[in-house]
Amino acid sequence: MATIFGRIEEFAPAEIANTAVGVAGGAFGHMLLESALDNFFKPRYPENYWIYSTGITSAVFLAIAIGLYLYGRRPGRELFQYIAGGILLTELVQLLDMIQVSFAIRGE
């Protein structure tokens, strides 16, 4: 299978290389966009700015991933489906990062 790095045949499957490109690109892009949105939302919503910036950034990258996946359904363009999968993995981690769990021990 072809990758953006050329043909990979033996030691590293092409699917892993394409997914790694999606993970790296999604993580770097998410970092940049979320930082910009933090600066935009922090003065307006100081208590919940991180929810808005992470949510909007994830929505943008999920839309990009869906577009890449649909584009990758064409014959000969399957590598875009793996890149979209890498972006989806990155966004799953970012959305799980928004969940805050706290435990407390109460004595009676």
Side-chain angles (χ1 to χ4, degrees), residues 53-68:
S53 62
T54 303
I56 290 171
T57 304
S58 291
V60 166
F61 278 93
L62 289 174
I64 291 170
I66 290 169
L68 285 173

Side-chain angles (χ1 to χ4, degrees), residues 29-30 32-38 40-42 44-45 48-64 91 94-95 98:
H30 188 103
L32 292 177
L33 184 59
E34 185 174 4
S35 177
L37 289 175
D38 279 347
F40 178 77
F41 285 118
K42 193 169 188 176
R44 291 166 178 80
Y45 308 102
N48 293 326
Y49 73 93
W50 57 276
I51 293 174
Y52 301 134
S53 62
T54 303
I56 290 171
T57 304
S58 291
V60 166
F61 278 93
L62 289 174
I64 291 170
E91 293 311 313
Q94 296 298 330
L95 290 173
M98 287 177 47

Side-chain angles (χ1 to χ4, degrees), residues 1-21 79:
M1 174 179 241
T3 69
I4 63 170
F5 301 114
R7 253 177 123 55
I8 297 177
E9 299 270 345
E10 288 184 33
F11 298 109
E15 292 85 2
I16 293 174
N18 288 327
T19 304
V21 167
L79 67 104

Side-chain angles (χ1 to χ4, degrees), residues 92-106:
L92 177 64
V93 170
Q94 296 298 330
L95 290 173
L96 289 175
D97 185 43
M98 287 177 47
I99 299 171
Q100 295 183 350
V101 178
S102 62
F103 297 98
I105 299 175
R106 295 186 304 172

